[in-house]
Structures are given as structure tokens and as C-alpha cells.
Amino acid sequence: MSAPPTQPTVTEREAREVAEAAREQDWRKPSFAKELFLGRFRLDLIHPHPMPPDEDAQRGEEFLAKLRDFCETKIDSARIEREARIPDETIDGLKELGALGMKIDTKYGGLGLTQVYYNKALALVGSANPALGALLSAHQSIGVPQPLKIFGTQEQKETFLPRLARTDISAFLLTEPDVGSDPARLATTAVPDGDDYVLDGVKLWTTNGVVADLLVVMARVPRTEGHKGGITAFVVEAGSEGITVENRNAFMGLRGLENGVTRFHQVRVPAANRIGPEGAGLKIALTTLNTGRLSLPAMCVGAGKWCLKIAREWSAAREQWGKPVAFHEAVGSKISFIAATTFALEAVLDLASQMADEDRNDIRIEAALAKLYGSEMACLMADELVQIRGGRGFETAESLAARGERAVPAEQILRDLRINRIFEGSTEIMHLLIAREAVDAHLSVAGDLIDPEKSLSDKAKAGAQAGAFYARWLPKLVAGPGQLPNSYSEFKHEVDLSPHLRYVERTARKLARSTFYAMSRWQGRMETKQGFLGRIVDIGAELFAMSAACVRAELLRSTEDHGREAYQLADVFCRQSRIRVEELFGRLWTNTDDLDRTVVKGVLSGTYAWLEEGVVDPSGEGPWIADATPGPSTKENVHRPIR
């Protein structure tokens, strides 16, 4: 058995090829968001709003009632924050409720909840304490159950899912000390040895890793005779010999998070525990995240609802200059933003979740947009709540209680939410991921034209294909229903939402034209224009949110008691969103992107080092990135399974 290799060295092109190979290449089902980026507003794909079957809704509501009682009576969020640990009895209580198996089929002992009700449950638990929401999400959204559900063998499902539904906590291990969003450099190895693989390496930020019983581990299998090799997924028993949890990490928020550093040294894993074929690990990870990402916006929705509640109660009680602060415009505008944005985030989440349940549409872009938009907007809402609360917003709940005031953890929610802009794909990576999917149709027909590696004959063939595609596509971007005054009239009631849908239709075509112009202008350099691509994606996110908000408002108008109020919130959100969209369009072509690159070069070369004078650096000593050389652990094992 050969020694494990050191950190792989890869070029930018090689890294891109690894990521591209892991992408789902085909679009077998329609996608509302994909069509939106192509300038086609397919309202028929989301309206009328899809609804869960009555049986699923009843089962979901019954569980939510039990979970709410548990959250109100058994979860002590202040204790979790104070002790920086979730009490074992709290986790045991969640196990007894069946919360570990919310997404696991009933035939394996799970609750079999739909994505819609799973997300409602996460929003509820996350509002009680975000670290608990993260524990349940990491276990089911990206941990062992989801990849097994999609890619596992029947034997694997029968072996592991009953444990995961009731007793065993799982974790997902991909990131390494020197490998984040560039998995081509993955250094953990799985060397075949008879009927086993032998794992060596170090994994960082293993959420749930400190308490996990089962792990999904991504490791590189070397290519040898009889072995295709490549990044591969394994189910690993967390108590296996050679596994050491070397550290329980601590963060600015989510203080109860059981997140660690896990070292593998000569860990034997049966080949029967491999998920899918060799080399399919990244594809499994990305496919798992297609719906797994919806767990983060679920908790962002819960946070928005809580922010709105606190803002309402506090702003009515606190008086300044003879009236409640809510009626001062500077504060009132913040409350309006929180209310309208919470409504839109819930609309995006429920729509994407219901589409995931129905499985009629490909929601990879919708889920990514929900994660991106939810994580960004929730941080803004929490920041506005802290501002509304003033000094009390900056003060800890414990300090407020000590001096006799209501213990409102506003500063905690701001800290806890901040990680969502990094978890499961940072905002910057999400921009690139969504942009790649959004321009897929263009690259499919014209990619060879801008690929320097392609031959002249390949480019000629691509030119013919591109000419035919754009001859059909471009004329359709000139006019559409958004220019007709009576379009979408079914959304015209006491409050009229039809102008907003017409705006979305017109703006989708404008967005597609802007993307085409940029591709024509920059061609092969398009992928380096990350500022431009990020703004394109942000515009698409706003258009998706506006569409979801209008469709949800119409659903509530036709089925529930809050239709008028829902229309009001959708109207306000769309008006706020349109202002952001117009600003983003302006920044597509008027920005400092080129100047920024010049400054960055100067900063890194030391040209501006004089600007750093006059301060001291309180940072400690040590390397920027910890050594992750494979080998036996020299540290105490802090793994503590909860039994």
C-alpha cells in the first residue's frame, strides 16, 4: 500500500475542469430561474402556487405542534449561549420527538416530512436557538441521510437510515485546512486495500463532527489498475480506530455548534460503505446541496419573523419626542423593510420547497438563489433590528436581564446569522455557481468559440450553432407581455401587483440582453468579471423574489384570511426590490472594478503598506493555515457521542 500523497498542485484550468465535471450537465426538467436568466418569464411554472397534498400537510402540522411545545418548554437558549454547548438532554429530547428523521422515509423509521414542513420545522427550531437548527440541518440536509436517499444502495439505506432516524447524528466532511471552495486540491486520500479503503487526512469545520456517530467523508482515491479513482464519498463510523476529533472550534456566533477538526490516520472503511462509484463524490455533494441549501434560508425566515416581532413590540413601547419610535420615519422605514423582506423570503422558501417536493422542476438555481438571497437579507434585517434597539441592541441579553430589562438577544441573532453568508457556499461562490448555471445555454452553443484550446474546425462548428441559436433567441428579447398594460390582470385587486409582474418580465429580457452583450464584449475573459457576474445574479435573485412574493400573495388572497395584507406586503417589497434592481443595473457598467484590481495589486505588493502604520496587531503567533500533514494524532480526542 503506497504512502498517501501530499497536497495536490493544480492549475486554475484543472480546478475548473474538476468543478465542471461535478456539475449536473443536463436540464431534463424546466427551471423557472434558468428561464428568467434567459429572458423568458415563465409564470406558468410557479403560478398557481403549488400546494402540498392534504395528507402531507396534516402530518407536517401535527409534528410542528409537538415541536413547538418542545421548543417553548425544553429549550433554554440562554443556557446554550452561556455554556457554549447544547445540553445532552435537549438533543435526547429531539431524538425522542423523531426530529433526527424528519426527512427520512417512514419505512426506515423516519417521519417522512416534505421539504416544505422540514423547512418550517427548521425555522421553528432555529428561532428557539440557531445552533440547534444548524445541528439538525447539518445532520439531514448535507449529512448521511440525504446522499444515501439519492445515491445509496438498498443495503446502505437499510443499514444506516434507521439509526439516523432515531439515534445517530451525522456530519459532512469535505473542507480541509487548505481546501475550501476549490475541491480539486483535496488532500485526504482513500487508498484501496482488499475489501477496504484506508483513509488518511485532516478535515476542518466538521459541523456536528464533535458529536457525530456517522460521517460522510470526501476523499481522493488514487487512480490505479482496476480503480477509476477521483474524489469519492464514504459513510464512515465516527468511532472507528484512527479517527481523532482534535479540536472543538469556537465562533463569533452559533456558540452551541459542535464543529471540530477531524484527523484520519489509517482508518479502514469497508468498500460497501462507498456511496456511488469512485470519482462521483463531488457530484454527490453538489446534488445533495441542490435541496440541502434550502435549510439555510429556512432559518433565515425564522430569524426574519423574530426580528419583526421584536421590532414591532419594542418600537411601540419606546417613545421619543412624544410618540412611539415606530412612527418616526427613520425607524419606520426599517420596520417596513423587515416586514416586506420577511414576507418575500418566506415566499421564496415555500415556493422552492414545494417545487422540490413536486419534483416537476429542476430547482438547482432556485435553491441556490434562496440560499444566497436569504442569507444576505437576513443579515441586513438583523442589523436593522440592532439599530432600532439602539444601545440595547448592542447589549447582551444576559446584561439586559441583570439590570432588570427584557432579555432580548438582538446582538446574538446578528452574530448567529453571519455564518449563513459563508456556510454551504459563500456568497461569492454562490454568485459564480449561479452565474455558471445561468449562462449554461450560451456556453452550450457558443462555448467552443471562446475556448482557446479548441481547433479552428471546432470553432467553425460552434459558430454555426451559435448563429442559429441567437437568430431565434435574440428577437424574442425585444418585446413581451411586460409591455402590455393588461398583462397579469389576475393579480389586480384592491392592491394591484400586475405592474410588478410586468416589470419582472421586461427586466428579465433586459437582464438577458445585458448578459449577451457582456459575453460578446469579454468572451473568454467573462469568467474573470466576477463583479459583473455577481450583479447579474443579484438582479436575478430580486426578480425571483418579486415573482415569488406576488404568487404567494395571490395564494393567500384566494385561500386564507390575510390576502389583503399579503398584497400590501408584496407591493411594498416589490417597490423596494425594484429600487435595488435599478441600482444594480447602473452598476453593471458604471463601477470601479478595474480600479479595484489595480489597488489590490498595490496592496499585495506593499505599495500602500504605509497606510497600515500607527496601529498594533493583537493577533497571536502561528501559521495562517494549520499543518494538515497526514499521520497519527498527537492530540486528545474530544469526540463525545451523545447516548
Side-chain angles (χ1 to χ4, degrees):
M1 189 169 58
S2 59
T6 57
Q7 185 84 46
T9 301
V10 295
T11 66
E12 181 180 356
R13 183 176 183 87
E14 288 170 338
R16 198 161 53 242
E17 287 173 349
V18 169
E20 185 66 18
R23 275 185 67 248
E24 225 176 315
Q25 303 291 329
D26 300 324
W27 293 85
R28 301 182 185 89
K29 299 173 184 175
S31 165
F32 173 80
K34 178 175 180 284
E35 293 291 301
L36 200 64
F37 281 108
L38 285 170
R40 300 190 284 249
F41 181 45
R42 290 286 308 279
L43 186 62
D44 61 295
L45 293 177
I46 61 172
H47 174 69
H49 194 293
M51 294 292 288
D54 291 341
E55 181 183 345
D56 290 342
Q58 181 179 348
R59 186 167 67 251
E61 292 293 342
E62 288 173 356
F63 175 72
L64 287 180
K66 296 176 185 176
L67 185 62
R68 172 174 287 279
D69 178 68
F70 181 87
C71 290
E72 291 175 343
T73 61
K74 304 296 184 182
I75 295 177
D76 186 346
S77 186
R79 178 185 172 187
I80 295 172
E81 183 70 6
R82 184 171 61 252
E83 298 179 357
R85 177 160 291 173
I86 300 168
D88 288 4
E89 60 266 28
T90 302
I91 296 177
D92 286 337
L94 288 169
K95 290 181 180 181
E96 290 172 14
L97 271 179
L100 292 187
M102 287 188 284
K103 286 196 72 181
I104 296 175
D105 196 290
T106 54
K107 66 184 176 184
Y108 301 114
L111 298 180
L113 297 187
T114 62
Q115 186 73 37
V116 168
Y117 278 95
Y118 170 66
N119 285 336
K120 288 180 184 295
L122 287 179
L124 181 59
V125 173
S127 68
N129 184 269
L132 269 174
L135 182 143
L136 292 176
S137 168
H139 165 68
Q140 291 171 90
S141 298
I142 59 174
V144 179
Q146 190 68 9
L148 281 192
K149 177 182 176 180
I150 304 173
F151 298 99
T153 65
Q154 189 59 40
E155 182 180 2
Q156 288 172 337
K157 292 175 183 178
E158 291 172 356
T159 300
F160 297 117
L161 291 182
R163 293 169 54 184
L164 294 160
R166 290 291 173 182
T167 58
D168 288 23
I169 296 172
S170 70
F172 174 77
L173 281 64
L174 171 63
T175 305
E176 298 176 359
D178 199 26
V179 179
S181 298
D182 181 10
R185 299 172 61 246
L186 199 78
T188 298
T189 58
V191 179
D193 184 29
D195 292 333
D196 296 338
Y197 290 84
V198 180
L199 268 62
D200 282 278
V202 178
K203 294 294 186 180
L204 177 62
W205 296 323
T206 59
T207 298
N208 289 359
V210 178
V211 297
D213 304 286
L214 288 169
L215 315 171
V216 175
V217 181
M218 297 292 166
R220 184 183 302 279
V221 177
R223 183 190 295 271
T224 57
E225 186 177 350
H227 289 275
K228 176 185 177 184
I231 297 173
T232 305
F234 299 89
V235 179
V236 182
E237 297 279 358
S240 300
E241 184 178 352
I243 297 181
T244 306
V245 180
E246 296 190 329
N247 195 61
R248 182 183 186 272
N249 302 322
F251 304 97
M252 68 180 282
L254 294 183
R255 287 173 57 78
L257 197 68
E258 297 290 353
N259 179 296
V261 177
T262 303
R263 177 178 291 270
F264 298 86
H265 176 61
Q266 300 287 289
V267 178
R268 301 192 75 85
V269 179
N273 285 22
R274 190 188 69 219
I275 308 175
E278 290 182 357
L282 281 185
K283 185 179 288 289
I284 289 170
L286 291 177
T287 304
T288 298
L289 282 171
N290 279 345
T291 53
R293 284 196 177 97
L294 290 174
S295 62
L296 290 186
M299 287 180 281
C300 291
V301 167
K305 289 173 177 284
W306 182 81
C307 288
L308 180 61
K309 178 181 184 292
I310 298 301
R312 172 178 58 81
E313 293 176 353
W314 166 249
S315 300
R318 174 65 165 166
E319 290 193 1
Q320 288 279 68
W321 299 301
K323 58 183 177 182
V325 294
F327 295 119
H328 292 287
E329 192 172 276
V331 174
S333 63
K334 299 179 188 302
I335 296 172
S336 174
F337 167 74
I338 293 173
T341 304
T342 298
F343 177 82
L345 286 191
E346 187 168 38
V348 166
L349 176 69
D350 278 7
L351 180 61
S353 300
Q354 187 59 49
M355 288 197 293
D357 286 330
E358 289 193 341
D359 204 26
R360 286 190 297 113
N361 295 339
D362 187 323
I363 65 154
R364 73 183 89 158
I365 300 182
E366 286 84 348
L369 287 172
K371 188 275 176 186
L372 167 70
Y373 196 70
S375 61
E376 291 290 327
M377 300 306 274
C379 278
L380 290 176
M381 289 191 287
D383 190 64
E384 293 289 41
L385 175 65
V386 168
Q387 192 70 18
I388 290 170
R389 288 274 290 160
R392 290 173 174 85
F394 192 64
E395 191 173 1
T396 67
E398 188 176 34
S399 176
L400 288 164
R403 60 183 186 79
E405 291 195 1
R406 184 174 299 184
V408 178
E411 59 84 30
Q412 180 189 334
I413 198 69
L414 184 59
R415 289 187 288 105
D416 287 345
L417 283 171
R418 184 59 183 82
I419 188 58
N420 290 334
R421 295 175 59 199
I422 301 170
F423 260 169
E424 296 181 22
S426 69
T427 289
E428 294 71 28
I429 290 298
M430 296 308 294
H431 276 148
L432 298 181
L433 183 151
I434 297 167
R436 172 61 187 88
E437 300 292 2
V439 301
D440 185 55
H442 299 285
L443 294 179
S444 295
V445 298
D448 287 357
L449 276 174
I450 58 177
D451 188 341
E453 302 288 321
K454 295 298 180 180
S455 65
L456 288 177
S457 61
D458 287 336
K459 289 180 182 291
K461 183 179 179 181
Q465 288 180 329
F469 172 78
Y470 290 119
R472 295 190 307 270
W473 179 67
L474 285 171
K476 296 177 182 178
L477 301 182
V478 176
Q483 292 161 291
L484 303 176
N486 293 322
S487 295
Y488 313 113
S489 57
E490 66 268 35
F491 290 84
K492 184 175 183 179
H493 298 283
E494 185 176 343
V495 176
D496 189 0
L497 297 182
S498 63
H500 300 311
L501 292 172
R502 291 196 290 273
Y503 175 84
V504 172
E505 195 279 334
R506 294 194 306 273
T507 308
R509 287 186 280 110
K510 180 179 179 181
L511 182 64
R513 293 194 300 269
S514 299
T515 304
F516 174 74
Y517 173 70
M519 290 189 68
S520 303
R521 175 179 175 180
W522 291 314
Q523 298 184 26
R525 291 183 295 128
M526 179 80 160
E527 65 185 28
T528 69
K529 303 297 182 180
Q530 294 179 1
F532 177 90
L533 292 171
R535 295 175 198 116
I536 287 287
V537 169
D538 286 340
I539 293 170
E542 295 283 1
L543 298 182
F544 178 40
M546 290 173 67
S547 305
C550 291
V551 169
R552 180 173 181 81
E554 175 58 18
L555 171 68
L556 295 180
R557 186 199 67 79
S558 59
T559 62
E560 297 189 18
D561 297 331
H562 308 297
R564 181 172 178 272
E565 294 79 10
Y567 258 65
Q568 290 173 341
L569 289 169
D571 180 47
V572 172
F573 172 77
C574 288
R575 292 175 186 273
Q576 294 172 355
S577 180
R578 288 169 70 160
I579 293 170
R580 293 191 291 267
V581 168
E582 293 306 312
E583 179 185 348
L584 285 164
F585 267 116
R587 290 172 55 211
L588 283 181
W589 312 110
T590 305
N591 53 62
T592 61
D593 292 350
D594 291 338
L595 290 173
D596 294 342
R597 280 190 285 274
T598 300
V599 170
V600 167
K601 290 178 181 177
V603 169
L604 293 185
S605 68
T607 301
Y608 307 120
W610 53 268
L611 192 58
E612 301 164 12
E613 295 173 1
V615 299
V616 294
D617 182 358
S619 306
E621 298 295 324
W624 286 104
I625 298 171
D627 180 44
T629 303
S633 180
T634 59
K635 296 186 177 181
E636 177 190 356
N637 189 0
V638 298
H639 182 229
R640 57 175 199 94
I642 298 169
R643 288 293 186 215

